[in-house]
Structure formats: structure tokens, C-alpha cells
Amino acid sequence: TCVDGGTAAGDGCDAVCSVEAGFTCSGEPSVCESCGNGLVEGAETCDDGGTAAGDGCDAVCAVEAGFTCSGEPSVCESCGNGLLEGTETCDDGGTVAGDGCDAVCAVEAGFTCSGEPSVCESCGNGLVEGAETCDDGGTAAGDGCDAVCAVEAGFTCSGEPSVCESCGIGLIEGTEECDDGGTAGGDGCDAICVVEPGFECSGEPSVCTPL
């Protein structure tokens, strides 16, 4: 039932030219293959060591639509399905470039990606993404939004790009109307750095006087 040009057993065609269990053989000389043994043989385009469908390599060891497979046993991946497979370093559920995870599911320069589907963020681009709590368009520390785009102690940040302010340091920042170097009320500049009724304030630190 097969003639592979030899009499060795274990290659699909045994010493008496019978097809061995688990193999299929065709042609003269016979080419024998066994789907599911992790070896890409004969007409197989993949072999992931199993015969389950839906993982990229189907029950007859053919690559399934939307997948690429390589190696022995085959590792199959499908960029854009939201799962990290094979050599992928991210998969955000799409294949659009410019969002941190490119068309072949590789993390783009300047981005970090995590999770499935991947969430990608780029600190310093002025957009609050992923786990970022601020992004002021830079990565300098000391301005309220630090080098990993986290709000620094004593600051509040809002908007895109983020505007960060810290009431009570003597600098008028963001939406502050005054900053007298403290957060006590009743002195003309209140606890959130807004000018209190009946006062006018100027300078940094602010000096407030009754009207």
C-alpha cells in the first residue's frame, strides 16, 4: 500500500510496505506524513503537535485562514485577534499602525503595551492612555506629571495635554487665580487657590488685599 524506497520502520511505510498507524502515504516513491506529531511532513503546511481546529493549524495540518505558522512543532499566530501568540509582543485587536501595536503585532517605538487585548500607551505624547493618570506632553519630573505619566504628590492634573497645578507652592498654575504659598482660607486666596470675594491678589507668591 506504500513504497517509500526503503524498508525502515517508523517513517510511515514499514518493512513490508504497509502504511503504519497514524500515517497517510501517497505517490511513488511514497511520501508519508502524520498530522499531530509536531513535524511538518509531506504536504503539511504546519504541525502543532495536535489535530484540534481553531488554533491556526487544522486537523489535516493545514494553516487556517488568518494565521501564520512556523517551526516544529508549529507555532501559529493571528495578529489582530486580541491574543498574544507566538512571537507577538502585543495584540490590540486590530492591525492599524500608529496606535502602539503595529500591523504585525509588534510594539511600536516609544510605546509600552500590556494585556489581552493589548493596551498601548506612550508617555509624553499629550494623551492620557492606559494606566497613565496624566500626560503633559513631556517626561520631565517636578512639573506635576512624572516620567511615567503619573500625577506627582501634591499636584492635580487634568486635560490633554495635562495641566498640573499644586495649590500652596507660591506659583500660579493651570486654572489657579492666586497662590500665596499656603492653603488657609480667609486671607484672600482660598484652599484651592481661587481669589476670595472682597479681595484682589497679585504676584507670585500672591499678595492679597481687601478691596
Side-chain angles (χ1 to χ4, degrees):
T1 54
C2 60
V3 179
D4 62 359
T7 56
D11 59 1
C13 189
D14 67 16
V16 292
C17 293
S18 295
V19 176
E20 295 179 296
F23 286 83
T24 58
C25 301
S26 60
E28 293 182 38
S30 300
V31 175
C32 301
E33 57 190 74
S34 177
C35 184
N37 68 352
L39 301 175
V40 180
E41 306 161 313
E44 293 177 353
T45 52
C46 61
D47 194 318
D48 61 1
T51 55
D55 58 3
C57 190
D58 68 15
V60 293
C61 288
V63 177
E64 296 180 294
F67 284 82
T68 57
C69 301
S70 60
E72 291 181 301
S74 300
V75 175
C76 301
E77 56 190 74
S78 178
C79 183
N81 67 353
L83 301 175
L84 289 175
E85 303 159 316
T87 58
E88 293 177 352
T89 52
C90 60
D91 194 318
D92 60 1
T95 54
V96 176
D99 57 2
C101 189
D102 69 15
V104 293
C105 287
V107 176
E108 295 179 293
F111 284 84
T112 57
C113 301
S114 61
E116 293 180 294
S118 301
V119 175
C120 301
E121 57 190 73
S122 178
C123 183
N125 68 352
L127 301 175
V128 179
E129 305 160 312
E132 294 177 353
T133 52
C134 60
D135 195 317
D136 60 1
T139 54
D143 58 2
C145 189
D146 68 16
V148 292
C149 289
V151 176
E152 295 180 295
F155 285 82
T156 58
C157 301
S158 61
E160 293 181 305
S162 300
V163 175
C164 300
E165 56 190 74
S166 179
C167 184
I169 62 171
L171 299 175
I172 299 174
E173 306 161 314
T175 58
E176 293 178 352
E177 297 176 358
C178 59
D179 194 318
D180 60 2
T183 55
D187 57 2
C189 189
D190 69 14
I192 55 172
C193 289
V194 172
V195 176
E196 295 178 299
F199 285 84
E200 61 179 4
C201 301
S202 62
E204 294 180 300
S206 299
V207 175
C208 301
T209 55
L211 291 173

